[in-house]
């Protein structure tokens, strides 16, 4: 028997049909439930604020290691070069 189909579980045709079906289904679900989704958006915005705060402050190790006095306007001192005596 001569089988011309690929041996993978998901052929290109099957994958394309599945993606098209999933996009249509998601579009219909989003259309039917748009009132519910739009009602949740303000709460998601409010909940995003503390989450963004935690994520944004994760990388710099807190506030204890910073020298805030030298960062004020006009107080930043230029670095001395090695040739200056």
């Amino acid at each position: 028997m001569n089988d011309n189909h690929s041996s993978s579980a998901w052929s290109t045709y099957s994958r394309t049909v599945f993606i098209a079906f999933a996009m249509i289904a998601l579009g219909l679900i989003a259309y039917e439930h748009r009132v519910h989704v739009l009602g949740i958006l303000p709460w998601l915005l409010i909940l995003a604020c503390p989450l963004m705060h935690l994520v944004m402050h994760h990388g710099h190790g807190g506030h204890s290691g910073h020298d805030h006095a030298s960062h004020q306007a006009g107080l930043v001192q230029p670095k001395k070069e090695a040739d200056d005596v």
Side-chain angles (χ1 to χ4, degrees):
M1 180 172 194
N2 192 1
D3 191 13
N4 291 333
H5 298 293
S6 66
S7 61
S8 69
W10 287 87
S11 66
T12 305
Y13 178 74
S14 299
R15 214 175 288 142
T16 305
V17 170
F18 176 76
I19 290 172
F21 176 76
M23 288 176 59
I24 291 169
L26 287 173
L28 289 173
I29 290 171
Y31 179 74
E32 289 293 324
H33 296 283
R34 68 185 179 275
V35 174
H36 306 295
V37 172
L38 293 176
I40 293 174
L41 286 179
W43 295 108
L44 290 177
L45 182 65
I46 291 171
L47 290 174
C49 293
L51 180 65
M52 287 186 345
H53 183 79
L54 290 173
V55 171
M56 298 297 282
H57 283 284
H58 178 70
H60 71 83
H63 295 281
S64 62
H66 295 268
D67 184 19
H68 293 290
S70 67
H71 286 49
Q72 293 175 356
L75 296 178
V76 177
Q77 299 174 356
K79 294 182 181 180
K80 294 184 178 181
E81 293 183 16
D83 294 336
D84 290 342
V85 180

